[in-house]
């Protein structure tokens, strides 16, 4: 059984926290270490689902209404 973390690492969407010692600088970001083509494909599929799927659009609108940024949603 594969770990979800390994799959996320391969795509390059694992969160990365920038810190040095005890200080934390800014927000966490995705690592972008993995497969760029696969990451771009996941983005395009999600964007298409938001545009053409009512359920995905409703979920996106609910997440944005709670205060998340549009790209993060």
């Amino acid at each position: 059984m594969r770990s979800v973390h390994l799959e996320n690492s391969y795509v390059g969407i694992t969160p990365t926290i920038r810190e040095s010692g005890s200080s934390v600088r800014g927000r966490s970001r995705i690592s972008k270490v993995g497969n760029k083509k696969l990451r771009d494909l996941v983005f395009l599929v999600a964007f298409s689902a938001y545009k053409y799927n009512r359920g995905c659009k409703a979920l996106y609108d609910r997440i944005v209404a709670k205060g998340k940024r549009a790209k993060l949603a």
Side-chain angles (χ1 to χ4, degrees):
M1 184 172 171
R2 280 197 246 163
S3 171
V4 173
H5 177 70
L6 291 175
E7 293 167 358
N8 291 341
S9 295
Y10 179 73
V11 178
I13 57 172
T14 55
T16 302
I17 299 172
R18 300 180 337 172
E19 63 184 359
S20 173
S22 62
S23 67
V24 177
R25 297 190 183 124
R27 301 179 183 194
S28 59
R29 300 167 192 233
I30 63 171
S31 65
K32 296 186 179 179
V33 173
N35 188 332
K36 180 177 176 15
K37 289 182 180 181
L38 187 55
R39 191 171 51 252
D40 289 345
L41 184 64
V42 169
F43 172 77
L44 289 174
V45 168
F47 187 73
S48 180
Y50 150 75
K51 204 170 177 183
Y52 298 108
N53 186 317
R54 289 184 202 161
C56 291
K57 173 94 168 109
L59 176 65
Y60 171 82
D61 291 338
R62 189 170 67 235
I63 292 171
V64 171
K66 285 185 178 181
K68 294 289 183 182
R69 297 175 306 208
K71 272 190 164 180
L72 181 64

